[in-house]
Amino acid sequence: MDRRYGADTMSSPDAPSRAGLPRAAAVLAAAAWGTAVLAVALVVAARPELGEGVWFFVVDVAVACVYGTVAALILSRRPHPVGWLLALAALGGGVAALGFGYPALAAQRPGLPGADLVSWLQSTAWVPGTLALFLVVPWLVRDHALGHARWGVAAGAAVTVGLLVAQLVEAQAIFQLLLASAVVLGLVAAAAVEHRHRRGPVAERNGLGWLALGAGLLALSFVPLLLPYGSLPLPVWTTPVLHLLSQAVYPAAILVAVLRGRMWGLQLAVSRTVLAGLLTAVLIAVYVGVTVVATRLLPGDGAGLVGAGVVAVAVQPTRLWLERRVHRLVYGVSASPDTVVRRLGSHLRLAETTDDLLRGLAADIGAAMRLESVTVSLPDREPVVWGMPGAHPMRVPLAHRGEPVGELAVTLPGGERLGSRGEQTLADLATVVATAAAVTRAASDVDDARARLSRARLEERRIIRREIHDGLGPSLAGLRLGLQGARNLMATDPPAAAALLTTLQSELDQRVTDVRTLSHHLLPPVLDELGLAAALSELAARHAEDGVEVALSLGHEDSLDPQTAAAAYAIVSEAVTNTLRHSGTQTARVVTASTAEGLRVTVADDGQGMPERARSGVGTRSMRERAEELGGSLEITAPTTGGTVVDALLPHALAVRRG
């Protein structure tokens, strides 16, 4: 029996990744290429007539060279059953090619020893590797347990062994029966692969469509061998050409699936090779088909010209159509920029919490780039981890608008590395993660600001309640009782009633003053109408009425935004109040200045200073929270010269952005 050759692809099943076998891979490549080169030299020397044997010889040489190279690449990085099956096919192809070349030379030079024995290798050496590839390997292309697919592996292996035994014992009838079974099993394997390509896990789909196509072509290429000789007027090159056509996609599908897209800089070479092979095959088929049809319709030599014209017109559209599909084969669906960006964008839009956002981004990056683990580390947060981190992570700093916001660390399965394209892709995706990290931090800042604002509002309400309950409330109650007393005295002692009303009027005037003081303490009207300088001058004037000196040195710009001015006034008012209550002095100094960083406000006194173990009270916390709400800072210090200094910095620009 003659030849049929096949190939297939394989992703890593469940076995853990291990170190590659570079020495064994080098020996394998040398053996496969050595036998192929030697066979070609023998055929060149023999110059046999072109026939079926020569066509299958071309197939054997292609098998030895192509699959010897692919198997060596795989085994040098990852020992895997598919790599060994490819090696078996490559060596079988090389030996079968020798089985044709040496007898052909012996026919030209009688007397060469062992020609009959070597000729026997031509019809048997190809069987185990070639058939096992398209009957067994398609079932192995997966990243999870075989499950029911193990029955497909067992059936394919059994048919392969049976065909080899039948060929060795020359049981032609059994061989034909098993060959028919191989065709059916091959089509079943191709259908199963196509089903997983459409319905299986997304991470495993890359390359499966081409694998299904190649397996189907290989299975169908054996059909002519099942037909009685001469029953169909098929050219002698039908079966070998079908074998060769499958090689346009099969080796690339193997590399993609087994190496999981990590081809160590081979992506460009593989994609160009596959594109060239497919384009050549398609254009030849178009030319032959158009020429055959035109020959029946046009007289003379016009058919060839029509075929050439159609090919010329179809070159560019065909190339573009194939290029998109070859790119999908080599780089996969998950690695296409539009798919990755769409998934990342959906997380940015739909994530309910910041943790969900970071977990979704990490999972998408890990799945898209086929990583072992992805870890996103942000300051003051627990790291977000996808996968199981291994040793030697690759770390990518995350920066947003030039400011560090965290770190992205990834690890790859054993024996793999990113390569230049993978590193560039990771750097591009890191910018998205950095943006998400910035969003996460901004959301956390907003939550903190909201909490501080809520506490400040609550404290202000408590202050207002205390002033009303402890001051204004009892005073109003006393006024009510005094008015009732004056009413009772009106009839019996009018002079006493008049004196009481005068006293009550003075008390009422004082309460009105207290209410105005409270309102000015919260937010004086003059602040909105005339600005911070006028409001501070009014504050100093009110304290001066009580014998307190508030010295002002105002050097800030007039065009302050309302939020900054309100915060500065509240800080000064609270600091002066604390000076009067706790420092033991009746003098305070207030200095304001506009700097490049923002508005700086300083309130100092020459009192007794702060005790060593003093705790922050409500007023101190209120001042600090007002500064931090605007992205600023506030410090309270006790100089060695004595007294207390409150220093606040309120950035203008940040206050405007948050307004």
Side-chain angles (χ1 to χ4, degrees):
M1 200 42 118
D2 290 320
R3 35 236 17 328
R4 31 280 60 187
Y5 136 32
D8 202 298
T9 188
M10 162 83 190
S11 181
S12 73
D14 301 328
S17 299
R18 294 174 292 169
L21 303 172
R23 294 183 180 179
V27 171
L28 166 65
W33 276 87
T35 54
V37 171
L38 179 58
V40 170
L42 294 174
V43 169
V44 170
R47 297 180 181 276
E49 294 183 0
L50 181 62
E52 186 179 31
V54 175
W55 282 104
F56 282 118
F57 168 79
V58 173
V59 173
D60 290 331
V61 170
V63 169
C65 295
V66 172
Y67 287 96
T69 302
V70 174
L73 285 172
I74 293 173
L75 295 176
S76 66
R77 272 86 174 185
R78 178 182 300 163
H80 196 283
V82 165
W84 295 113
L85 288 176
L86 293 177
L88 180 63
L91 295 176
V95 172
L98 285 176
F100 174 79
Y102 187 77
L105 183 63
Q108 300 293 330
R109 301 179 184 181
L112 289 178
D116 292 338
L117 178 62
V118 175
S119 177
W120 173 78
L121 292 175
Q122 182 192 14
S123 61
T124 57
W126 62 272
V127 174
T130 297
L131 293 181
L133 284 176
F134 88 94
L135 290 177
V136 177
V137 171
W139 301 103
L140 300 178
V141 184
R142 62 188 68 237
D143 287 334
H144 55 274
L146 287 174
H148 295 299
R150 65 181 180 274
W151 299 109
V153 173
V159 170
T160 300
V161 173
L163 279 168
L164 177 61
V165 173
Q167 187 78 329
L168 290 173
V169 301
E170 298 183 354
Q172 186 65 24
I174 297 177
F175 186 92
Q176 290 292 103
L177 178 61
L178 290 175
L179 188 60
S181 301
V183 171
V184 174
L185 286 177
L187 293 175
V188 171
V193 172
E194 179 61 23
H195 176 75
R196 287 192 292 117
H197 172 242
R198 296 177 180 273
R199 301 295 180 86
V202 174
E204 296 182 14
R205 295 181 185 180
N206 193 20
L208 292 186
W210 298 98
L211 177 63
L213 176 62
L217 282 175
L218 283 171
L220 294 174
S221 69
F222 287 95
V223 172
L225 301 178
L226 297 174
L227 302 175
Y229 182 78
S231 60
L232 287 178
L234 296 175
V236 295
W237 46 260
T238 302
T239 297
V241 165
L242 287 176
H243 287 326
L244 291 173
L245 285 177
S246 69
Q247 305 321 305
V249 293
Y250 241 41
I254 291 172
L255 284 173
V256 168
V258 176
L259 299 183
R260 309 169 115 200
R262 308 271 178 248
M263 290 187 282
W264 292 268
L266 292 175
Q267 291 99 327
L268 184 60
V270 170
S271 62
R272 288 181 175 177
T273 302
V274 174
L275 179 60
L278 284 174
L279 186 60
T280 301
V282 170
L283 293 180
I284 288 176
V286 169
Y287 177 79
V288 172
V290 172
T291 302
V292 170
V293 174
T295 301
R296 299 178 178 273
L297 301 178
L298 299 177
D301 299 330
L305 294 176
V306 172
V310 172
V311 168
V313 172
V315 167
Q316 185 66 6
T318 305
R319 187 189 71 81
L320 294 176
W321 185 80
L322 290 173
E323 190 174 45
R324 291 192 295 269
R325 282 148 183 82
V326 170
H327 186 277
R328 180 70 59 87
L329 163 68
V330 175
Y331 299 111
V333 177
S334 58
S336 61
D338 56 339
T339 301
V340 176
V341 170
R342 186 163 53 249
R343 289 180 178 176
L344 296 181
S346 67
H347 286 296
L348 290 171
R349 179 171 53 90
L350 300 176
E352 295 183 358
T353 66
T354 54
D355 287 340
D356 291 342
L357 170 62
L358 294 177
R359 278 195 293 268
L361 293 177
D364 278 345
I365 292 174
M369 300 190 67
R370 298 178 175 86
L371 301 173
E372 179 184 57
S373 72
V374 178
T375 303
V376 181
S377 301
L378 304 181
D380 303 325
R381 294 179 65 94
E382 288 293 326
V384 175
V385 181
W386 174 87
M388 296 294 293
H392 309 298
M394 173 181 288
R395 303 183 184 277
V396 180
L398 302 177
H400 182 71
R401 295 182 177 178
E403 180 182 355
V405 294
E407 182 182 73
L408 177 67
V410 302
T411 60
L412 286 82
E416 297 187 17
R417 60 187 177 88
L418 282 177
S420 58
R421 183 180 183 274
E423 292 176 358
Q424 182 59 48
T425 301
L426 183 62
D428 293 340
L429 295 177
T431 59
V432 179
V433 180
T435 302
V439 170
T440 299
R441 190 175 65 176
S444 178
D445 291 344
V446 169
D447 290 340
D448 292 342
R450 185 181 293 113
R452 291 195 302 268
L453 180 60
S454 178
R455 290 194 299 270
R457 287 175 176 172
L458 179 60
E459 199 57 48
E460 287 178 348
R461 288 169 182 165
R462 287 174 178 169
I463 293 174
I464 296 172
R465 182 188 65 181
R466 183 178 65 244
E467 294 293 337
I468 293 175
H469 183 272
D470 298 342
L472 185 59
S475 297
L476 293 177
L479 289 172
R480 181 177 181 278
L481 293 175
L483 290 173
Q484 183 63 39
R487 181 179 181 182
N488 295 335
L489 291 173
M490 289 292 293
T492 58
D493 192 355
L500 181 58
L501 288 174
T502 301
T503 303
L504 292 176
Q505 185 175 3
S506 300
E507 179 68 18
L508 182 59
D509 292 340
Q510 182 61 43
R511 297 287 75 78
V512 171
T513 301
D514 292 342
V515 171
R516 288 177 178 174
T517 301
L518 177 60
S519 65
H520 279 77
H521 178 78
L522 295 175
L523 188 65
V526 69
L527 181 64
D528 287 333
E529 297 171 359
L530 301 177
L532 179 62
L536 293 179
S537 299
E538 184 186 61
L539 176 69
R542 287 203 318 272
H543 284 291
E545 294 176 358
D546 298 329
V548 177
E549 180 185 358
V550 178
L552 299 178
S553 178
L554 306 180
H556 62 271
E557 298 176 355
D558 294 333
S559 56
L560 290 176
D561 67 275
Q563 283 185 302
T564 303
Y569 180 86
I571 291 173
V572 171
S573 177
E574 187 63 41
V576 171
T577 300
N578 288 343
T579 295
L580 301 180
R581 290 177 179 174
H582 308 298
S583 68
T585 182
Q586 297 294 300
T587 302
R589 298 181 302 279
V590 178
V591 180
T592 63
S594 293
T595 67
E597 293 81 10
L599 173 65
R600 184 170 293 280
V601 178
T602 304
V603 180
D605 64 59
D606 54 0
Q608 60 187 8
M610 295 186 302
E612 293 183 1
R613 297 184 180 181
R615 294 183 179 182
S616 297
V618 173
T620 302
R621 290 196 302 271
S622 176
M623 289 190 295
R624 182 166 283 110
E625 288 174 355
R626 287 182 181 278
E628 291 176 352
E629 284 174 7
L630 300 181
S633 61
L634 183 138
E635 294 183 359
I636 301 177
T637 58
T640 55
T641 56
T644 303
V645 177
V646 177
D647 186 56
L649 178 62
L650 308 175
H652 300 302
L654 186 56
V656 172
R657 285 198 302 269
R658 293 191 180 188

